[in-house]
Amino acid sequence: MTDQELKQATLGQLLDQAIAAYPDNDAVVYADRDFRLTYREFGDVVDRLAKGLMALGVEKGEKVAVWATNVPYWVALQFATAKIGAILLTVNTNYKSAELDYLLRQSETENIFIIDGLRDTDYVQTLYELVPELKTQERGYLKSKTFPHLKRVCFLGPEKHRGMYAIPEIMALHVMVDDAAYQERQACLDPHDVVNMQYTSGTTGFPKGVMLTHYNIGNNGYWIGENQNFTQADRICIPVPLFHCFGCVLGVLAAVTHAATMVFLESFDPVDVMASVEEERCTALYGVPTMFIAVLQHKLFKKFDFSTLRTGIMAGSPCPIEVMRQVIDIMNMHEITICYGLTEASPVITQTRADDDIRLRVESVGRAMPGIEVKIVNPDTHELLPAGQQGEVCCRGYNVMKGYYNMPEATSEAIDADGWLHSGDLGVMDENGYLAITGRHKDMIIRGGENIYPREIEEFLYRLEGIADVQVAGVPSPKYGEEVGAFVLLKEGHAYEPEDIKDFCRGQISHYKIPKYVAFVEDYPMTASGKIQKYKLREMAEALFPDRI
């Protein structure tokens, strides 16, 4: 595939194309509240929000963070920021105060949109604690001592909060920006501009801001949809989080590039998923394996109609073959696909095809997407390996990120001089190009689709007085694939219980990063050169925690 065959378009242009072709097609639907917008109506909302942001003073290249569940204005914000050349920065909804603090500093974010909160985290109160000036300074003139780049805090809803702009206020400001100024802003954009930033952790510690362009994610979304045979007649149920690429690329951009309908859920609930599929006659459903298992095992499963389903995506962690059989046989998803990738790759590198047999859909993660090269190399020498040999998965193509924000060294470590992105994952490719992921060269833990990097948790736990050393590793889990295990070496004279370690984490880091298992050890398994062998910690965990569920 040549560069000319890829879409040279901004996300705003891709949306406008869908509106022009199918203006009366449903674009955004929430079945639980009978909320629906056609593509024409959705486009009007996007344009008013975009003009409102311009009226507030949001400039091209500014970051606009969104810390919210899948609420109705989330996707409008995704396209409104794209149309004015701003960069949407997605924030994990599980973040706590310390994680948000880091993200706002490292990203130099100028704007943030929030909702009330999620579970035990009050987002509004968290912002007031991090940015106390919000309560005393005039809106539009924010000067934060801690976050000198931050200019505006906005609320992604109608409610008013001191120091914050609410969505209706921003929308009302659209009258201050005329069409000529709006068109002029759009005309100065380039498909290779950064449009999205997502924070992903790394083995070297704290999260890094992955910079993705219109070209990266617009084309990736298009081919993800093509591989599911999407048309404007498809209706996609999207219960996965929009802050992940799974939601905002595999979901939103696969749909919009085909003028398909997006049926959203604010958060995952198996009954809401089943009801949405039935009521909206969905043809596709997305989820990580644990989501599909929760639907299949629900006591009300047999009461719902899945006959309209045809395809969808299961991704995030390996799928048990019996679950795949049930999804195909009793959920009617005969053309379900499996995707593999990483945020740095926009994110999908390989995908199974709708007509691949069940063996390939369970034993592999598919073959390379159009426009993307995939190879397997020796992790140490980077020498190309033949079919059937395990090595590191690398890819090259339109999908490779622009880099990590303000981290040139980390960028050059991830992308080599020839443009190959090194995934850190181990895999084997067969003679037909089908890839199987066999392990991780890095120490990453995948818990139910969430990527967790041990170093970040280790660095946090080092703050606890009395800890001499701590190593974090994945502990096998039948439910989530892996759980977080902490192996703690205490300083002399200090004593802790496992619950003390967990209590130190609560309210400070995301709940899924809090170690489920804590063991106090005297030493660690080492190589001859003194390197800790984390795979042996995993083996130790099976003996230390025999009652895992």
Side-chain angles (χ1 to χ4, degrees), residues 17-86:
Q17 289 166 15
I19 295 168
Y22 299 98
D24 298 322
N25 219 28
D26 283 342
V28 176
V29 174
Y30 287 79
D32 63 349
R33 65 203 71 179
D34 197 28
F35 176 101
R36 65 189 63 239
L37 296 172
T38 65
Y39 267 93
R40 181 190 286 112
E41 291 166 339
F42 179 60
D44 288 343
V45 171
V46 168
D47 288 339
R48 280 186 282 135
L49 182 53
K51 286 182 173 181
L53 292 172
M54 284 181 66
L56 281 182
V58 178
E59 299 288 343
K60 179 184 176 183
E62 284 193 13
K63 276 81 64 184
V64 179
V66 55
W67 192 24
T69 52
N70 298 2
V71 293
Y73 279 102
W74 204 111
V75 178
L77 190 65
Q78 180 176 356
F79 286 96
T81 50
K83 280 202 164 191
I84 64 170

Side-chain angles (χ1 to χ4, degrees), residues 78-367:
Q78 180 176 356
F79 286 96
T81 50
K83 280 202 164 191
I84 64 170
I87 300 166
L88 186 77
L89 196 164
T90 64
V91 184
N92 191 316
T93 54
N94 294 303
Y95 268 12
K96 302 290 186 183
S97 180
E99 294 157 318
L100 186 67
D101 181 305
Y102 168 81
L103 181 144
L104 292 175
R105 289 175 194 263
Q106 203 284 327
S107 66
E108 301 174 326
T109 288
E110 293 90 353
N111 313 271
I112 183 169
F113 279 80
I114 64 169
I115 57 170
D116 285 324
L118 180 66
R119 290 189 286 271
D120 61 342
T121 305
D122 184 325
Y123 293 0
V124 175
Q125 188 56 36
T126 299
L127 259 295
Y128 283 143
E129 289 170 0
L130 290 175
V131 192
E133 296 92 344
L134 275 174
K135 288 190 172 182
T136 59
Q137 295 180 0
E138 187 180 349
R139 290 187 310 180
Y141 298 92
L142 180 64
K143 297 288 184 187
S144 168
K145 182 178 179 182
T146 309
F147 309 103
H149 293 86
L150 190 63
K151 300 176 183 177
R152 305 167 195 92
V153 177
C154 306
F155 191 78
L156 204 60
E159 297 85 356
K160 293 185 177 182
H161 297 278
R162 193 186 307 175
M164 303 182 192
Y165 295 94
I167 279 286
E169 295 175 303
I170 300 171
M171 300 281 278
L173 291 173
H174 81 276
V175 296
M176 297 176 63
V177 175
D178 61 32
D179 288 342
Y182 185 39
Q183 293 304 324
E184 186 180 342
R185 176 71 70 91
Q186 292 179 70
C188 76
L189 307 183
D190 186 288
H192 296 278
D193 291 337
V194 176
V195 71
N196 184 286
M197 265 175 67
Q198 300 187 37
Y199 271 75
T200 183
S201 299
T203 52
T204 52
F206 292 97
K208 301 186 284 290
V210 176
M211 297 186 290
L212 301 173
T213 66
H214 300 263
Y215 186 67
N216 288 149
I217 60 178
N219 281 293
N220 204 241
Y222 172 75
W223 284 108
I224 290 162
E226 283 291 287
N227 287 341
Q228 297 174 83
N229 297 321
F230 278 170
T231 71
Q232 77 282 358
D234 280 292
R235 303 175 71 81
I236 308 151
C237 184
I238 306 173
V240 294
L242 286 166
F243 70 79
H244 269 306
C245 276
F246 202 168
C248 67
V249 180
L250 283 75
V252 173
L253 296 181
V256 168
T257 51
H258 294 82
T261 301
M262 298 169 280
V263 180
F264 291 109
L265 285 84
E266 275 199 23
S267 56
F268 174 76
D269 176 271
V271 175
D272 288 344
V273 168
M274 294 186 286
S276 295
V277 168
E278 179 178 286
E279 290 174 29
E280 293 300 324
R281 301 187 62 75
C282 292
T283 58
L285 172 62
Y286 286 10
V288 296
T290 51
M291 289 179 174
F292 282 99
I293 291 167
V295 168
L296 287 161
Q297 294 182 350
H298 200 279
K299 61 185 178 181
L300 297 178
F301 177 81
K302 291 182 179 179
K303 295 187 180 295
F304 289 92
D305 179 8
F306 300 96
S307 63
T308 58
L309 285 176
R310 173 183 64 80
T311 186
I313 295 175
M314 194 184 303
S317 58
C319 174
I321 189 165
E322 188 51 41
V323 173
M324 181 61 83
R325 287 192 191 279
Q326 290 180 327
V327 168
I328 291 171
D329 294 342
I330 62 178
M331 292 184 72
N332 208 43
M333 298 175 67
H334 302 291
E335 298 179 18
I336 188 169
T337 66
I338 299 288
C339 291
Y340 160 74
L342 54 155
T343 308
E344 291 91 335
S346 298
V348 176
I349 299 170
T350 66
Q351 186 176 6
T352 59
R353 304 313 197 250
D355 57 355
D356 283 339
D357 65 37
I358 189 171
R359 180 187 64 81
L360 286 171
R361 282 188 264 182
V362 173
E363 295 177 4
S364 86
V365 290
R367 51 194 165 90

Side-chain angles (χ1 to χ4, degrees), residues 508-523:
Q508 295 297 311
I509 60 175
S510 300
H511 69 91
Y512 64 88
K513 296 179 187 173
I514 297 173
K516 179 160 177 81
Y517 302 103
V518 178
F520 296 99
V521 298
E522 298 296 323
D523 52 34

